[in-house]
Amino acid sequence: MFWSDFHFDGLTLTYLTTGLAITLLAVRNGRRTLRGHKHWTRFVCTTVLFCTGYGLTILSGGLKTLLMGWEIMGIASFLLIIHHRDFKNRVGIPAKAFFIYRLGDVGLLLAMWASHHLGRENATVISLLLLVTASMQSSQLPFSSWLPQALQNSTTASALLLATLTVQLGVFLLLRSYPFWEHQLSVRVLIALLGLVAAVTAVGVARVQSSVKRRIAYVSMAHTGLIFIEVAAGFKSLALIHVAANAFLGAYRLLVPPQLVRASAGEGTHYSRERWEDRLPKKLKYTIYMLYTKEWGFYTRLSKYLRP
Amino acid sequence: MTARNNSFDEHAVLHALKQFLPALSPGRTFTYRNPLEAFQSLNFHDALRHASEMLGYHTSLSMEEYRSYYNSKKVKPGVLERVLVEKKGASNTFEWQDKVLMKKFTADAAPRIGRLRANWQKQYNVDLDARVHPRLFRILASFLDQDVADWKFPVRRQSFLDSMREVESNSFVSAFNTPRARKLLLQTNPSINDLLAIIVGDESLFEQYLFDQQFAHRGWSGLVATLENGGNSLPGGSSITLRELIVFELLLEIDVLDDRLGKYWKPLAYRLAVRPGDLFAPVPADEKSEVLAIWQDAVEWSYFEEILAGLSCNPQDFPNQAAGQGPEATVTNAPDSLCIIGRLSAFRNLPTSHRAFLNNYDFSLDPDGEVLEKLLETVIPSLGAANLEHFFSRTGLADPDAGEVLTEQMIGLFGMADLRGDLRTGLSGELTQSLEPLRLLCVVEQLPEMVLKVIGKLKASKSWIVNGWVHLVVADALSGEMRVYKNGKMVAYKSNRRTVEEPVH
């Protein structure tokens, strides 16, 4: 029966409204910047494709439908990242994002296979596979570095969609599969731990980040880490509110970038203010600063295997 | 450009670098500077050719664009013919007309800049830029950051290298991955020369290597050079010099090479298969550059013809020009391309579609040209610089994709970075997309002899006029006749098809 493949509840509603609002914002923004550009048509088509995937995913009533939507969305996201790229000069074709997406699909496929063949007894395996997929999608550890890079490489309108919607879908997957792992303490602890580590790392990196887009990516990542904790703790409604808030905050930050400043404006005020980090012992302060500036080396480490 | 010998003089090279690097000021402050200032001792068209061959700059529109100007009547056939006659002589006009309009030219070869450093990739299979740049830019951006990061660079009131030293010596996490570069930074005070001896090995190649290295990220280097010149304008009282940037980048390069090639590797010069030619050797003129020069002149004079016709006091001299702005009138979109020095009455007939800088000047009150000298001395360098900044932003000087504003990202509130992570130079593509690249036309109402005398006395703006970086037209104050300054002479200007060249002196 066709209709049994779909499911509609509060979770879907939240994601549907958030998604609708963000997509409209992105198209509006894209219209401003891309209109008249040769890429405009392509942008619209990709966005429609993205919406199809997104809708399928959030309305899905089973893993099969979800996987279908997921795949469509993955392709569309990748198209959005490379949207503004001529392949003549192959400067940084974001192979990493593509790779992570595909890896996530594998997790989802395996989960589907496991749910068919292993049944309910092996819920832990399924939950773990779903968790891997979710943390990849949400750019959580240890797959954290694709989002900043993708965001940095994509145009503003598509970045908006990516940063705010795609990332939230990891949380969606966790919430949708909530009944699977609800009664498994180990999985819940693991989710919370993952979220905690990601939040702590990302917030530090975001604090030292001087590139506007990368900063937004890391802030979004830190929030998603917190949402993971909330989900693990069972605060589903709080997590949903947080998801929407995170999406809109990200969109706002991307849409209203700070103004370029004059050379020495506002110098005195900002520098007299002491941050809490300044009170740390010198050695610790410098170490943490360097660690965060190097983004814990995740970036370089992953890049070593995935040269763009 | 000076004669260069083989020994490496750090000071001289740094000075030369600063001249060649683009002036990029942080944030919104924008001071105009001739982007090709380093080439200003050359004639305009020679400078374009040299800059394009040496640094890979796009200094003119593409051949197709010029030809489309001709097809859309923005370049008038009569003007093109006149330019051809002037440049090539009447007997060669047909031959050159064919070249200008029809001939297919091969694409430009790779520019000279970057050839030496490309050998890291060729001989050692190390992509230095891909490994050094992200790290360098990140640290630089953190150090220079104005207001994006919540947690600012922890060391303040020190120079860049001292700050890095302070952090390195007190941190458990290093900016380097291998010990040698870290030791060099902490235990010695390395000079550029020492580091280049490790990396390049051959002193005669040092200068070219530095140019290659710095022009791989000319935006950042230009920003640092500007900050250094502008005194201390960094937040938190820190300072940075181009020398420090180079030293740190060289250290990072040693770090990457140590990491990739192991502890022992031969300097670049030892594995060099072919020595790259001198970066600064003169570039001979070829057919393509000559054709581009002809096109550029033709574009400019097609626009100027109309302005000058409007300015002329005797409209009956110009039968082509309908008195009340016929259908021929085109709206020029080229800011800062017209400057008039003369009496108010002379501006009366100015076509309304042109934005001009008007300077009220009465030749009869200035018998020995002193006022004119002062006027030219102030007006030409400032207007000329603004004009050329627009000009070269339109031709896409450094970055032909500058129009693709969508891919850039803001860094530390002081600039926009492109996909490669380098800062953008020049004006935003949005501003210049629909402009026409025209040099400044300066019209002076005076006696031609007097203007020639004044030009001889000029200081800063002399090279602008003599080398053709601005066009100077004199409206003879007595007869109303127009004369164009060309190669040290005043040549009579005729707007119709044929020009009679009659030098004044």
Side-chain angles (χ1 to χ4, degrees):
Chain A
M1 181 68 191
F2 180 73
W3 286 110
S4 66
D5 290 334
F6 293 99
H7 184 74
F8 192 90
D9 58 3
L11 177 62
T12 314
L13 188 64
T14 316
Y15 270 85
L16 198 61
T17 37
T18 314
L20 199 64
I22 297 289
T23 315
L24 287 178
L25 260 177
V27 172
R28 201 182 132 77
N29 180 252
R31 208 172 97 117
R32 210 182 61 218
T33 48
L34 289 163
R35 194 90 189 256
H37 237 271
K38 55 179 188 271
H39 301 299
W40 169 242
T41 329
R42 190 140 56 89
F43 175 70
V44 173
C45 292
T46 323
T47 310
V48 170
L49 186 68
F50 180 87
C51 287
T52 315
Y54 184 82
L56 267 178
T57 310
I58 61 171
L59 286 166
S60 62
L63 271 177
K64 267 182 274 179
T65 329
L66 189 132
L67 183 76
M68 198 160 86
W70 201 271
E71 287 293 334
I72 296 174
M73 212 172 49
I75 292 166
S77 305
F78 184 67
L79 289 177
L80 281 174
I81 298 174
I82 61 167
H83 179 258
H84 211 72
R85 204 67 50 91
D86 295 325
F87 288 94
K88 274 177 287 176
N89 50 347
R90 40 184 293 278
V91 189
I93 293 165
K96 196 190 285 178
F98 188 67
F99 184 74
I100 297 284
Y101 265 109
R102 295 281 75 85
L103 217 60
D105 295 343
V106 173
L108 209 53
L109 268 172
L110 282 176
M112 214 167 86
W113 173 81
S115 70
H116 269 277
H117 291 265
L118 302 179
R120 283 254 164 183
E121 313 86 76
N122 285 53
T124 322
V125 180
I126 302 170
S127 328
L128 282 180
L129 284 169
L130 288 175
L131 176 60
V132 167
T133 309
S135 62
M136 279 182 192
Q137 186 72 12
S138 291
S139 186
Q140 297 291 295
L141 292 173
F143 318 103
S144 57
S145 67
W146 75 263
L147 179 66
Q149 216 187 9
L151 207 55
Q152 182 181 343
N153 286 336
S154 55
T155 59
T156 322
S158 43
L160 209 63
L161 282 168
L162 281 172
T164 51
L165 286 184
T166 334
V167 175
Q168 312 304 338
L169 277 169
V171 182
F172 175 84
L173 193 61
L174 284 186
L175 284 172
R176 186 47 94 213
S177 59
Y178 192 74
F180 270 113
W181 47 267
E182 201 177 3
H183 303 294
Q184 302 171 49
L185 192 66
S186 54
V187 175
R188 289 177 78 146
V189 170
L190 187 65
I191 294 175
L193 269 181
L194 259 183
L196 183 71
V197 176
V200 169
T201 325
V203 83
V205 178
R207 280 185 76 76
V208 301
Q209 206 46 253
S210 55
S211 150
V212 174
K213 271 192 190 170
R214 290 183 77 88
R215 182 162 177 265
I216 294 169
Y218 278 110
V219 167
S220 173
M221 194 175 138
H223 276 291
T224 317
L226 289 182
I227 297 171
F228 267 43
I229 301 177
E230 289 159 14
V231 172
F235 303 133
K236 281 160 74 177
S237 312
L238 179 68
L240 279 181
I241 294 171
H242 201 161
V243 160
N246 185 18
F248 286 115
L249 180 74
Y252 171 74
R253 288 217 160 127
L254 277 170
L255 279 177
V256 191
Q259 289 287 310
L260 290 178
V261 289
R262 223 168 290 138
S264 55
E267 209 175 300
T269 53
H270 290 294
Y271 276 83
S272 53
R273 198 165 57 202
E274 201 165 72
R275 313 274 166 179
W276 64 267
E277 288 100 340
D278 293 329
R279 282 181 226 125
L280 292 173
K282 197 156 98 176
K283 278 220 168 201
L284 194 60
K285 181 167 80 175
Y286 291 168
T287 305
I288 297 178
Y289 188 83
M290 274 321 282
L291 202 59
Y292 282 140
T293 308
K294 291 180 93 175
E295 295 178 3
W296 289 75
F298 288 132
Y299 182 76
T300 32
R301 214 155 292 158
L302 244 175
S303 300
K304 201 178 280 178
Y305 305 109
L306 296 171
R307 297 284 304 139
Chain B
M1 259 157 279
T2 49
R4 278 147 220 280
N5 49 15
N6 277 347
S7 64
F8 176 74
D9 177 359
E10 187 181 307
H11 264 286
V13 172
L14 282 179
H15 183 74
L17 257 176
K18 278 179 208 162
Q19 267 197 313
F20 277 91
L21 284 170
L24 187 75
S25 24
R28 267 210 223 110
T29 44
F30 201 90
T31 42
Y32 289 119
R33 198 184 87 159
N34 177 4
L36 297 188
E37 203 176 28
F39 297 92
Q40 210 172 311
S41 56
L42 296 173
N43 181 296
F44 180 72
H45 290 301
D46 294 337
L48 296 194
R49 194 176 69 238
H50 278 84
S52 135
E53 169 76 22
M54 282 176 190
L55 305 177
Y57 282 171
H58 295 252
T59 51
S60 54
L61 298 181
S62 66
M63 199 68 82
E64 293 73 38
E65 255 177 302
Y66 280 126
R67 284 175 183 162
S68 76
Y69 272 28
Y70 183 81
N71 293 333
S72 61
K73 298 278 186 284
K74 279 185 186 173
V75 173
K76 295 173 185 159
V79 174
L80 179 63
E81 200 183 319
R82 205 174 68 223
V83 171
L84 278 170
V85 170
E86 244 168 64
K87 289 210 169 201
K88 295 291 158 208
S91 53
N92 296 326
T93 308
F94 280 117
E95 186 196 339
W96 276 89
Q97 193 161 31
D98 190 50
K99 284 177 188 166
V100 163
L101 292 176
M102 297 301 182
K103 184 163 178 180
K104 281 205 166 58
F105 291 94
T106 50
D108 286 328
R112 288 179 188 169
I113 194 91
R115 275 189 201 166
L116 173 60
R117 231 161 140 265
N119 283 295
W120 284 121
Q121 179 81 50
K122 271 186 226 152
Q123 308 290 337
Y124 295 76
N125 203 14
V126 179
D127 192 350
L128 261 191
D129 285 351
R131 280 163 196 282
V132 170
H133 283 181
R135 287 160 70 188
L136 179 72
F137 296 161
R138 194 168 303 168
I139 288 175
L140 259 184
S142 297
F143 183 76
L144 299 175
D145 177 47
Q146 305 242 349
D147 211 12
V148 173
D150 297 307
W151 186 6
K152 307 277 187 304
F153 200 79
V155 187
R156 285 167 208 171
R157 284 172 208 89
Q158 290 199 34
S159 69
F160 178 55
L161 274 187
D162 286 343
S163 305
M164 286 316 293
R165 243 177 234 130
E166 165 86 13
V167 172
E168 275 295 304
S169 56
N170 287 307
S171 164
F172 297 112
V173 178
S174 168
F176 302 104
N177 297 330
T178 56
R180 176 154 69 151
R182 185 177 147 93
K183 257 188 219 155
L184 277 170
L185 176 68
L186 290 181
Q187 291 166 8
T188 59
N189 188 9
S191 70
I192 294 182
N193 210 343
D194 301 339
L195 298 175
L196 281 174
I198 298 174
I199 298 176
V200 184
D202 182 351
E203 207 168 282
S204 60
L205 292 172
F206 284 6
E207 178 175 13
Q208 195 164 354
Y209 190 82
L210 284 186
F211 266 86
D212 279 9
Q213 186 197 50
Q214 293 307 301
F215 270 83
H217 50 77
R218 57 168 85 77
W220 282 103
S221 305
L223 177 74
V224 169
T226 320
L227 284 173
E228 183 186 348
N229 283 346
N232 210 337
S233 59
L234 277 183
S238 323
S239 66
I240 188 167
T241 62
L242 187 60
R243 185 185 169 276
E244 288 177 314
L245 168 65
I246 293 175
V247 167
F248 190 68
E249 183 166 3
L250 289 170
L251 286 172
L252 279 180
E253 286 187 354
I254 292 179
D255 184 41
V256 166
L257 290 169
D258 275 356
D259 200 17
R260 292 280 296 166
L261 305 172
K263 258 186 187 162
Y264 305 101
W265 39 271
K266 290 249 191 237
L268 184 65
Y270 290 87
R271 296 255 301 255
L272 217 52
V274 196
R275 259 183 88 94
D278 183 12
L279 182 61
F280 297 98
V283 181
D286 59 0
E287 212 166 58
K288 190 178 180 189
S289 66
E290 280 185 68
V291 167
L292 286 174
I294 289 170
W295 272 122
Q296 181 57 38
D297 279 355
V299 170
E300 286 170 351
W301 285 106
S302 298
Y303 279 102
F304 295 161
E305 183 177 56
E306 198 181 309
I307 297 171
L308 294 177
L311 277 178
S312 169
C313 307
N314 310 316
Q316 63 270 26
D317 279 1
F318 303 99
N320 283 350
Q321 180 70 20
Q325 299 285 309
E328 256 186 296
T330 43
V331 176
T332 334
N333 188 3
D336 310 330
S337 62
L338 178 59
C339 157
I340 301 174
I341 301 175
R343 288 171 302 173
L344 280 173
S345 58
F347 312 151
R348 219 179 26 217
N349 299 321
L350 189 68
T352 47
S353 55
H354 295 282
R355 212 181 78 196
F357 287 84
L358 310 174
N359 295 278
N360 198 3
Y361 165 77
D362 193 340
F363 72 99
S364 58
L365 302 178
D366 185 28
D368 40 355
E370 270 172 28
V371 180
L372 181 65
E373 189 187 333
K374 268 186 208 145
L375 262 176
L376 287 179
E377 203 72 273
T378 49
V379 163
I380 286 190
S382 58
L383 272 186
N387 164 266
L388 289 178
E389 197 88 52
H390 281 101
F391 185 110
F392 290 120
S393 296
R394 171 66 178 92
T395 59
L397 189 60
D399 184 3
D401 314 320
E404 316 268 305
V405 284
L406 302 164
T407 45
E408 61 198 16
Q409 51 159 344
M410 195 181 286
I411 302 281
L413 292 196
F414 50 76
M416 305 297 262
D418 58 16
L419 277 180
R420 280 172 222 85
D422 192 12
L423 296 181
R424 284 207 184 290
T425 55
L427 302 168
S428 127
E430 263 178 350
L431 284 176
T432 54
Q433 245 167 14
S434 54
L435 297 186
E436 314 297 350
L438 306 178
R439 272 174 280 172
L440 179 69
L441 170 69
C442 193
V443 184
V444 181
E445 191 189 20
Q446 213 354 324
L447 301 173
E449 296 81 7
M450 177 62 80
V451 176
L452 275 180
K453 217 168 81 192
V454 169
I455 290 174
K457 281 195 281 182
L458 289 174
K459 289 176 198 78
S461 47
K462 187 172 180 175
S463 69
W464 285 87
I465 300 175
V466 173
N467 291 330
W469 293 78
V470 296
H471 291 292
L472 187 76
V473 167
V474 179
D476 195 319
L478 298 177
S479 65
E481 206 181 330
M482 295 278 183
R483 283 171 188 275
V484 186
Y485 179 85
K486 223 164 245 168
N487 304 326
K489 286 182 230 141
M490 288 293 170
V491 183
Y493 171 78
K494 288 267 170 62
S495 93
N496 22 6
R497 296 209 156 199
R498 212 166 293 130
T499 309
V500 188
E501 303 214 359
E502 37 180 50
V504 177
H505 290 295

